[in-house]
C-alpha cells in the first residue's frame, strides 16, 4: 500500500512564527502524500480576550459557546490555517486548507449537553471521515492542512480536538494506506522524567498505564497518548511522538522520539 | 460549452446573517457548476477595531498593513468563508472554501509601493487563475467559495478586491465554460435614480460613461461596473448586477437587475 503521513503539530509550534516556519521546512522535505493537522494554540485565547471572549473551562476542558466558536473559526480556520497554506506554497509545496465542513470531509456529532454542556464541540469516529473525498483531493497532489474544526452537517461548525482528529483520520485512512502518524510538539518525545528530559523510546500500553498511575505522564499528555494507542491498535502502521524540528529524523530514525508499540 | 455560474456577493449580504442565509437559499437552487466570491463587509472593520487595528484609508482605499492582513485573513478567510461553507453543507450543497493560496488557485503580484504603498494588496490578471486546478475541483462536484484573498507564491497572503477576483475569474474560465457572472448586492440593479430606485435594465459602455460623467453612478459602483464591462468585453457570456435575494430570477428573467451589454 502507498504511504500516507499524518502529522499533528502542537499549540506551541503554531504560537511561534519561527517554530512554525522551522517545522514547515522539515515537513516539506518529507516525500509522498501528507496531511497536517493543527489547532490554534494560545493565539485563540489571546484573540478571544481582545474580543471580549475569555476562555471558559469546565473540568479542565474549554467550553465552546457561540462567541468562542467564532473566535476559533477565525483563528484555527482563518489565521493559522490560511497562513500555513501560504507558507507551504512559498516553500514550493502545493497545499489546501480545509475544515471538516469543506467538501464534507469530517462530519461530527455535537456532544450531548449532559452531564456537561461543552457547546459547539463535535465528537467523531472513523466513519466520520469522508475517505473517498480525502483520496480524491490527495490525488490532485495537494497536501491537506486541517484545523481542529468539523461540522454537524446542519450548518454549524464544531470544535474538535486536533489530537482526536489526527488519530481518527489516521485510523480511517489505514484501510487504504500505510499510515504513519506523528504527533509533533516541543519535547523530544514522551518523558519518563520531565526535569531530566529522559525520552521513552518505546512505549506499550502496560508501561503507559504504569506511568499514568505513577503520575509520570502529565495531564495534557494523557489524551494525546490515549489517541496514539487507539490509532496503533486500530491499524495505523506507525505512531510516533516527538520534536517538531526534525520531522525527517523522527520518521526515519528509531533513536528519535517515542514509538508507540 | 458547459455553464458556469460565478456569483459575487456584496459586503451587506455578508454582514447580516439573515441576508446571508436568504441569499444562500436562493444560491443552492441554481443548478450546475458554481463559484461564490465574497469579501468580509463591515465585520472586518468591527473585528479590527476591537483588536486595536483601525482601518487606514488612502485616497478612499484601504491600506493593508501586516495587522490588517491578519484581520482580513481571520474574517474573510476564516469566519465568513468557513461559515458560508458550513451553511451550504447544511442546505445539502457540498462546498469548499479556498483562498488563492489553497491549491495555488490565484497567484497575485503585490502592488508596487509607489505612488502609494497599499501594503499586502495583490493585483491579478486572467493568467493568475489556475484554470486547470479550478476545473479539477469543480469536477469533484464541489461549489467553490472564494474570499477576497490571494497569495504571492512566496509565503504571503494578499488582499485582493472581491469584484476584481470575480471578474478576472470569470474571464479566465470563459475559455472553457459559458460563464454567467452575477454581482449581487442590496439594490435591484444599477440605479439611474438612487432615491426613486429606478433600475437600468440594460447598460452599455457609452451610457455608463455618461452616468459616470453626470455623477449618476456612485463611487462604490464605479469599480464594480469597470469590472463588469471588462468581463463582458473579454468573453464572459452574461454579466448581470442585481439583488441578492432572488438569484434565480436575476439569472433567468430579463426584467430583473441590470444586464451589461
Amino acid at each position: 500500500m502507498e504511504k500516507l503521513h499524518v502529522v499533528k503539530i502542537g499549540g506551541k509550534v503554531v504560537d511561534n512564527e519561527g517554530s512554525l516556519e522551522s517545522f514547515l521546512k522539515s515537513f516539506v522535505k518529507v516525500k509522498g502524500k501528507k496531511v497536517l493537522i493543527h489547532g490554534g494554540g494560545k493565539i485563540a485565547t489571546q484573540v478571544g480576550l481582545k474580543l471580549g471572549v475569555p476562555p471558559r473551562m469546565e473540568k479542565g476542558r474549554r467550553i465552546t459557546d457561540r462567541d468562542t466558536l467564532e473566535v476559533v473559526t477565525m483563528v484555527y480556520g482563518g489565521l493559522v490555517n490560511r497562513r500555513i497554506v501560504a507558507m507551504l506554497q512559498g516553500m514550493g509545496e502545493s497545499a489546501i486548507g480545509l475544515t471538516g465542513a469543506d467538501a464534507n470531509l469530517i462530519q461530527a456529532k455535537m456532544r450531548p449537553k449532559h452531564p456537561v454542556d461543552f457547546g459547539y464541540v463535535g465528537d467523531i469516529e472513523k466513519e466520520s471521515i469522508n475517505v473517498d473525498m480525502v483520496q480524491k483531493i490527495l490525488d490532485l497532489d495537494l497536501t491537506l492542512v486541517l484545523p481542529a474544526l468539523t461540522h454537524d452537517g446542519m450548518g454549524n461548525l464544531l470544535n474538535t480536538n486536533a489530537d482526536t482528529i489526527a488519530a481518527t483520520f489516521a485510523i480511517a485512512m489505514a484501510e487504504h494506506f500505510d499510515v504513519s502518524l506523528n504527533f509533533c510538539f516541543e519535547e523530544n518525545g514522551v518523558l519518563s522524567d520531565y526535569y531530566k528530559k529522559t525520552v521513552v523510546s518505546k512505549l506499550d500500553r502496560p508501561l503507559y498505564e504504569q506511568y499514568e498511575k505513577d503520575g509520570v505522564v502529565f495531564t495534557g499528555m494523557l489524551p494525546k497518548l490515549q489517541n496514539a494507542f487507539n490509532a496503533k491498535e486500530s491499524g495505523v502502521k506507525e505512531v510516533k511522538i516527538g520534536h517538531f524540528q526534525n520531522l525527517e529524523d523522527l520518521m526515519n530514525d528509531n533513536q528519535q522520539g517515542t514509538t508507540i508499540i
Side-chain angles (χ1 to χ4, degrees), chain A residues 46-236:
Chain A
Q46 287 160 356
V47 169
L49 285 171
K50 285 189 190 167
L51 293 176
V53 186
R56 277 175 56 208
M57 309 300 276
E58 180 78 40
K59 296 182 183 171
R61 303 190 78 161
R62 188 192 290 261
I63 305 274
T64 308
D65 59 14
R66 208 171 162 74
D67 290 341
T68 305
L69 181 70
E70 291 202 353
V71 172
V72 299
T73 303
M74 286 197 282
V75 176
Y76 303 173
L79 190 62
V80 176
N81 188 267
R82 303 311 197 176
R83 185 191 272 165
I84 289 175
V85 169
M87 287 170 80
L88 285 172
Q89 294 291 356
M91 295 173 186
E93 175 147 320
S94 201
I96 188 166
L98 304 177
T99 72
D102 293 289
N104 193 27
L105 279 195
I106 312 173
Q107 191 168 321
K109 284 209 174 80
M110 199 161 159
R111 189 170 297 169
K113 297 199 181 302
H114 302 279
V116 181
D117 183 1
F118 285 102
Y120 291 89
V121 169
D123 290 320
I124 56 173
E125 46 197 356
K126 75 172 182 178
E127 289 75 17
S128 313
I129 312 291
N130 188 341
V131 173
D132 181 51
M133 185 56 81
V134 171
Q135 281 187 292
K136 284 177 179 165
I137 291 169
L138 293 173
D139 283 343
L140 299 178
D141 286 326
L142 297 170
T143 290
L144 254 177
V145 185
L146 307 178
L149 290 166
T150 59
H151 77 133
D152 66 359
M154 291 177 291
N156 302 298
L157 291 161
L158 297 172
N159 192 358
T160 298
N161 178 276
D163 286 331
T164 306
I165 292 182
T168 311
F169 190 94
I171 292 168
M173 299 311 291
E175 289 171 26
H176 305 272
F177 292 89
D178 271 353
V179 177
S180 144
L181 171 63
N182 290 273
F183 292 95
C184 296
F185 68 148
E186 66 283 2
E187 302 288 355
N188 286 320
V190 178
L191 304 176
S192 61
D193 187 319
Y194 185 77
Y195 299 99
K196 289 186 185 154
K197 303 287 180 197
T198 319
V199 175
V200 185
S201 71
K202 287 184 193 335
L203 185 63
D204 59 14
R205 207 177 252 280
L207 185 57
Y208 158 60
E209 282 167 1
Q210 189 62 44
Y211 281 168
E212 191 179 350
K213 229 170 66 183
D214 298 347
V216 169
V217 169
F218 281 60
T219 34
M221 200 51 152
L222 291 175
K224 193 188 295 297
L225 282 174
Q226 197 53 56
N227 277 307
F229 279 105
N230 281 351
K232 183 67 190 168
E233 290 158 6
S234 306
V236 176

Side-chain angles (χ1 to χ4, degrees), chain A residues 11-28:
Chain A
K12 286 189 185 161
V13 186
V14 169
D15 284 338
N16 181 298
E17 208 156 336
S19 300
L20 183 58
E21 191 170 352
S22 150
F23 163 76
L24 291 176
K25 276 182 181 161
S26 83
F27 180 73
V28 298

